[in-house]
Amino acid sequence: MRGRTSNSGPFAGGLEWDCPKEAIRAPEPTELLARPAGPPAPRCAVCAAIKDQRREAEAQGDARRMGDAAARMGVHQRQAHAHE
């Protein structure tokens, strides 16, 4: 942090934005996402494979493959899970 603002950027890089320190706070309980009741949904094998590929690319420092995996995940999520 520098001065009165916190400079943060997206995890994978990109433009920075400034946020006054006094605006940073813990979320209120009503702002937190509630976990749905019941057992967790079964894990999607395609999601798991894409996540593993992204983690491997990240471990190797391969930003291009990380981006490719993120794009594949977005397409997969829209096609396979949009109506869940």
Side-chain angles (χ1 to χ4, degrees):
M1 277 194 258
R2 293 179 292 180
R4 296 188 56 239
T5 60
S6 170
N7 293 322
S8 300
F11 175 73
L15 299 175
E16 292 184 346
W17 60 88
D18 289 332
C19 178
K21 282 195 252 184
E22 57 273 6
I24 299 172
R25 61 175 179 74
E28 298 292 329
T30 57
E31 297 172 317
L32 297 173
L33 295 175
R35 182 174 178 268
R43 188 169 180 194
C44 171
V46 176
C47 287
I50 295 171
K51 286 178 187 178
D52 290 343
Q53 292 166 5
R54 190 198 179 286
R55 284 188 196 107
E56 181 181 324
E58 183 178 11
Q60 295 174 358
D62 190 334
R64 184 191 58 80
R65 283 181 40 225
M66 289 170 61
D68 290 348
R72 281 194 314 276
M73 181 63 85
V75 170
H76 169 69
Q77 289 286 317
R78 285 187 296 279
Q79 291 177 346
H81 303 295
H83 300 290
E84 288 182 357

